């Protein structure tokens, strides 16, 4: 694994905007010297490295599913700060094996040893458009003879065709709270892949979904019954809403309710408890840092690197944010590797239960947040 430099394509901004990355400016804080999409650099991996990473993330995914089974069978929902009224519904969702679509592992990897799990974004993962589409066209334009770890698009289409959703259109829900356009474009892209798989689809804002109390069903603005729906609206938000008690029992949601156990950082502690010493894991605990001399405290339901605290013998660093009321996980801390002053985090995509691709974000800081840049990659032996 190495970091290389290259000349950006003339008119690259219009190119990526035309391919769906219309939010690359709005989603990136203003005043930064570096754009969100940065094709002046890229990472090069060998096929051996990619094949090893594929094997590792599929093993991690299997471990995560086994841990969901453990949580359900042992009734350990309180560790995840899930409201007690929803425990049985989460269990039923898992026992039914409600269908799931995709997820993203965030990994620490330097090319010399096993990847280490940072967290699993299994409910509402983003950076999908740039991983699946934008960097693929970059590869075709600048390195057409090389390969890329990227079968996301084809696997999504295949997965939609196999989900076995209820009859009628599948609704694709965005939220009007989205100010950058990232969520809207991500939902639109997934809707396109569903249509390519032959599904009938309808767009709807989460705020426009209504509850028909007489017929006990969710409906859209045209009073059509919502039998199945894709959402980029976190389950923890849904469970806190008035309609949450209906949502857990009505409509087939993608992602399903059982993913509350994979999108919650308490998962890190349970993985370590069950697979202590596994080479792809770092120590993690729910009751404090224990004997860790270097650790990072992560809120169970935090996002974009907010409300985190790094503690080492040499430094203590915190990020602002309003998360943490639900509790924290304390994970062993190893700084991300440095490549030419930048620290990459690897986002390994899963579609269904198979590894599907890679997206890389990098930053100069210890925590990857909304100031990071996305850089493409290629495979060259």
């Amino acid at each position: 694994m190495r970091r290389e430099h290259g000349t950006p394509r003339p008119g690259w901004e219009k190119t990526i905007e035309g391919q769906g990355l219309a939010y690359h400016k709005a989603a990136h804080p203003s005043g930064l010297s570096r754009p969100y999409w940065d094709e002046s650099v890229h990472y090069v991996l060998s096929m051996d490295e990619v094949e090893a990473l594929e094997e590792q993330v599929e093993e991690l995914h299997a471990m995560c599913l086994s841990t969901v089974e453990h949580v359900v069978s042992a009734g350990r929902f309180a560790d995840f700060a899930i409201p007690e009224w929803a425990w049985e519904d989460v269990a039923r969702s898992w026992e039914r094996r409600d269908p799931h679509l995709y997820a993203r592992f965030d990994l620490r990897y330097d090319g010399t040893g096993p990847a280490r799990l940072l967290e699993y974004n299994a409910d509402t993962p983003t950076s999908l458009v740039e991983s699946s589409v934008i960097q693929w066209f970059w590869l075709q334009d600048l390195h057409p003879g090389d390969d890329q770890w990227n079968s996301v698009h084809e696997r999504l289409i295949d997965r939609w065709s196999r989900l076995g959703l209820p009859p009628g259109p599948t609704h694709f829900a965005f939220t009007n709270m989205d100010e950058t356009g990232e969520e809207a474009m991500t939902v639109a892209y997934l809707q396109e892949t569903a249509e390519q798989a032959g599904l009938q689809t309808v767009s709807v804002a989460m705020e426009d979904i209504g509850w028909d109390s007489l017929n006990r069903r969710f409906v859209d603005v045209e009073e059509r019954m919502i039998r199945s729906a894709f959402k980029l609206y976190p389950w923890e938000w849904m469970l806190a809403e008035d309609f949450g008690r209906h949502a857990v029992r009505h409509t087939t949601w993608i992602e399903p309710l059982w993913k509350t156990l994979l999108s919650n950082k308490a998962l890190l502690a349970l993985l370590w408890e069950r697979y202590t010493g596994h080479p792809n894991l770092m120590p993690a605990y729910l009751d404090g840092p224990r004997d860790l001399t270097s650790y990072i405290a992560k809120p169970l339901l935090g996002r974009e690197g907010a409300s985190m605290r790094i503690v080492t013998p040499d430094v203590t660093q915190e990020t602002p944010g309003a998360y943490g009321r639900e509790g924290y996980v304390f994970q062993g801390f190893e700084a991300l590797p440095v490549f030419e002053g930048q620290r990459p985090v690897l986002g390994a995509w899963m579609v269904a239960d198979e590894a599907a691709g890679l997206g890389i974000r990098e930053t100069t800081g210890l925590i990857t947040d909304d100031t990071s840049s996305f850089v493409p990659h290629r495979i060259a032996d």
Side-chain angles (χ1 to χ4, degrees), residues 97-145:
R97 296 301 192 271
D98 289 346
H100 62 294
L101 180 66
Y102 77 130
R104 190 192 78 229
F105 283 105
D106 283 351
L107 306 170
R108 182 195 186 280
Y109 181 69
D110 60 10
T112 63
R116 308 291 291 278
L117 175 63
L118 301 175
E119 58 188 68
Y120 199 14
N121 302 281
D123 183 20
T124 58
T126 54
S127 76
L128 178 66
V129 175
E130 43 270 58
S131 296
S132 177
V133 179
I134 309 304
Q135 68 171 344
W136 176 254
F137 283 113
W138 165 86
L139 182 76
Q140 301 310 304
D141 287 345
L142 295 181
H143 302 277

Side-chain angles (χ1 to χ4, degrees), residues 36 53 56-58 60-61 64 102-110 114-128 131 149 262-263 265 267-268 271 279-282 296 298 302-306 308 331-332 334 336-337 343-350 357-363 366-370 372-374:
Y36 171 65
L53 285 167
Q56 291 172 57
V57 297
E58 289 187 355
L60 281 170
H61 178 71
C64 289
Y102 77 130
R104 190 192 78 229
F105 283 105
D106 283 351
L107 306 170
R108 182 195 186 280
Y109 181 69
D110 60 10
R116 308 291 291 278
L117 175 63
L118 301 175
E119 58 188 68
Y120 199 14
N121 302 281
D123 183 20
T124 58
T126 54
S127 76
L128 178 66
S131 296
W149 183 11
L262 293 187
S263 59
K265 294 179 184 64
L267 171 71
L268 301 172
L271 284 170
N280 296 125
L281 300 177
M282 289 187 284
I296 179 168
K298 298 179 176 180
R303 294 174 178 274
E304 293 287 353
M308 292 189 178
Q331 183 184 44
E334 294 181 22
L336 292 170
R343 300 180 183 273
V345 61
L346 272 59
W349 291 95
M350 300 291 298
L358 174 68
I360 301 176
R361 292 169 296 151
E362 60 176 19
T363 183
L366 294 175
I367 296 175
T368 306
D369 56 19
D370 61 356
S372 64
S373 292
F374 188 101

Side-chain angles (χ1 to χ4, degrees), residues 27 33 65 70 72 87 111 135-136 139-140 143 146 150 176 202 212 273 283 306 308 342 350 361 365 368:
S33 60
L65 295 185
H70 166 73
V72 171
W87 292 1
Q135 68 171 344
W136 176 254
L139 182 76
Q140 301 310 304
H143 302 277
D146 288 343
N150 189 358
N176 291 326
V202 176
D212 179 351
E273 174 188 310
M308 292 189 178
Q342 296 288 329
M350 300 291 298
R361 292 169 296 151
T368 306

